[in-house]
């Protein structure tokens, strides 16, 4: 039976961001899926607990525990799912930290400013994207990436991430699956120092925890030129965990 890889996208994005990664993993024998976030219900935008329940249901519906791969808020969801005993292993790329206080606030504060933003969809400007998410791209690449991939995001998730609502993790949980944390050296949304600090928190667990920083990459590391290096490292790490599953 082929191994299953489940990809979880982050804020501002759709599952389409994972298409190159899925092709890479599929070529290595993985059966890949990248489900979208649940839609708003009754005018209420989804929060972290809603997203977590959505992906937990998906994971439990699979024939075997999948490899979980998430970016940004998707990386936070990977940590939450692993902590709940779901998934064979997890890879979190430039992940938001769980219940992280100042660390979470530093990653989300620009989106806490709009009045009543937690109730509404928030919109990222092309200027913010170019300066903070994909500053390593050329202007032409930034424009193309923004037009293809950036969508509004529910303000609720930023407030909950900053305040630690619905995203507690037991950092000493020795029963969770192996976890790989990947940091982009030039990231401005979730800085490499934040991911490194998160790694040290997860090291309280006896479960396998790995960390790798990629110098020169931005928060857009899963789609910027050179993304293949990120994908191949992830595949190699996952393959090395197979004997431990």
């Amino acid at each position: 039976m082929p191994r299953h890889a489940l990809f979880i996208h982050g804020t501002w994005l759709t599952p389409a961001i994972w298409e190159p990664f899925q092709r890479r993993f599929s070529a290595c024998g993985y059966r890949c899926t990248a489900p979208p976030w649940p839609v708003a219900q009754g005018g209420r935008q989804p929060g972290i607990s809603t997203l977590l329940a959505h992906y937990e249901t998906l994971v439990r519906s699979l024939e075997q525990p999948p490899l979980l791969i998430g970016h940004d808020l998707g990386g936070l969801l990977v940590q939450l799912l692993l902590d709940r005993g779901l998934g064979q292993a997890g890879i979190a790329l430039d992940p938001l930290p769980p219940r992280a206080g100042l660390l979470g606030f530093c990653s989300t504060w620009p989106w806490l400013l709009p009045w009543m933003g937690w109730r509404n969809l928030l919109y990222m400007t092309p200027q913010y994207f170019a300066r903070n998410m994909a500053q390593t791209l050329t202007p032409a690449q930034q424009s193309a990436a923004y037009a293809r991939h950036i969508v509004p995001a529910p303000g609720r998730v930023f407030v909950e991430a900053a305040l630690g609502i619905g995203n507690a993790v037991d950092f000493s949980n020795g029963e969770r699956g192996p976890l790989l944390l990947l940091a982009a050296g030039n990231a401005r949304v979730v800085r490499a120092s934040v991911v490194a600090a998160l790694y040290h928190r997860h090291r309280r667990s006896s479960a396998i925890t790995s960390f790798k920083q990629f110098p020169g990459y931005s928060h857009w590391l899963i789609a910027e030129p050179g993304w293949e290096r990120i994908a191949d490292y992830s595949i190699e790490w996952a393959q090395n965990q197979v004997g431990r599953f």
Side-chain angles (χ1 to χ4, degrees):
M1 182 181 296
R3 294 181 296 276
H4 197 118
L6 187 144
F7 294 86
I8 307 176
H9 66 87
T11 52
W12 312 109
L13 300 173
T14 71
I17 194 68
W18 288 118
E19 289 173 359
F21 263 66
Q22 289 187 82
R23 290 193 295 269
R24 205 78 166 185
F25 273 77
S26 294
C28 293
Y30 285 87
R31 184 170 55 193
C32 300
T33 55
W37 286 7
V39 299
Q41 296 291 331
R44 179 185 173 89
Q45 299 300 328
I48 291 175
S49 60
T50 302
L51 298 178
L52 181 61
H54 173 71
Y55 283 103
E56 179 173 346
T57 299
L58 291 171
V59 170
R60 293 187 184 280
S61 71
L62 299 174
E63 297 179 14
Q64 60 178 332
L67 171 66
L68 304 170
I69 305 167
H71 170 247
D72 185 78
L73 184 65
L76 170 57
L77 292 171
V78 165
Q79 297 169 75
L80 295 171
L81 290 167
L82 280 183
D83 188 49
R84 285 152 178 77
L86 300 168
Q88 288 186 331
I91 301 174
L93 301 99
D94 249 16
L96 291 180
R99 188 65 69 85
L102 183 61
L103 293 181
F105 179 80
C106 290
S107 301
T108 58
W109 73 266
W111 312 110
L112 307 180
L113 301 179
W115 174 249
M116 300 294 281
W118 64 275
R119 297 180 56 181
N120 303 311
L121 288 173
L122 300 180
Y123 295 80
M124 181 193 297
T125 66
Q127 293 77 20
Y128 182 93
F129 176 75
R131 288 194 308 266
N132 297 288
M133 284 194 71
Q135 75 276 10
T136 57
L137 303 184
T138 67
Q141 290 171 333
Q142 290 168 346
S143 296
Y146 180 89
R148 181 181 180 191
H149 291 295
I150 300 302
V151 296
R156 183 178 299 274
V157 298
F158 296 105
V159 174
E160 293 182 351
L163 299 180
I165 299 173
N167 59 49
V169 159
D170 178 5
F171 288 106
S172 63
N173 180 4
E175 300 300 318
R176 66 158 170 81
L179 172 64
L180 171 63
L181 299 166
L182 297 181
N186 286 0
R188 295 175 180 172
V189 176
V190 182
R191 296 184 180 275
S193 59
V194 171
V195 184
L198 180 58
Y199 166 69
H200 288 294
R201 292 187 176 190
H202 277 292
R203 288 281 291 168
R204 299 174 193 170
S205 168
S206 59
I208 294 169
T209 307
S210 306
F211 171 78
K212 174 71 173 178
Q213 179 175 329
F214 289 89
Y217 285 79
S218 70
H219 191 61
W220 202 242
L221 75 168
I222 62 173
E224 68 182 280
W227 64 267
E228 296 91 344
R229 183 183 172 204
I230 310 293
D232 290 346
Y233 186 91
S234 299
I235 292 169
E236 181 179 359
W237 179 87
Q239 301 286 53
N240 287 336
Q241 308 308 316
V242 168
R244 300 186 176 99
F245 291 163

